[in-house]
Amino acid sequence: RGFIYALDSLDDKIISGSGDCSLKIWSLENNSVVSSYEEHNSAINAISTFGTNMIFSGATDGTIKMWDLRTSKVVYTFNHHEGKITTLSTIPNKPLLAS
């Protein structure tokens, strides 16, 4: 259901972002999707993990969503970009996200 445009890893999982607007968490143990979310309104081009419980996802509509894996919910949406998000990076041990 759509090409994968973004990948990142978190412990024993792979996180993917796709052209079908979905964010998926894959288990490396059994090679299957363990969670799937569709909160973006456009293709997800960038993903970055922070710590063990947070994921940031960026989309072509300029939004960045911050996900809390403990609740499986979006806890904040950033709407400050005028163009599409093409890359994201978090800084370990600092509350900083670059886009």
Side-chain angles (χ1 to χ4, degrees), residues 10-83:
L10 183 65
D11 298 326
D12 62 343
K13 297 172 186 66
I14 296 289
I15 297 96
S16 67
S18 302
D20 65 1
C21 309
S22 69
L23 178 82
K24 293 184 178 159
I25 300 174
W26 302 78
S27 168
L28 293 176
E29 288 183 19
N30 57 19
N31 298 321
S32 65
V33 175
V34 294
S35 300
S36 183
Y37 310 102
E38 294 183 18
E39 295 288 330
H40 278 284
N41 294 319
S42 64
I44 299 172
N45 290 332
I47 293 174
S48 187
T49 59
F50 184 75
T52 59
N53 296 310
M54 297 300 238
I55 297 172
F56 293 92
S57 56
T60 57
D61 64 0
T63 60
I64 298 171
K65 295 193 182 284
M66 181 171 72
W67 302 80
D68 186 336
L69 295 180
R70 295 168 292 197
T71 62
S72 299
K73 295 188 188 250
V74 172
V75 293
Y76 193 79
T77 300
F78 301 86
N79 293 307
H80 306 294
H81 283 271
E82 293 180 11

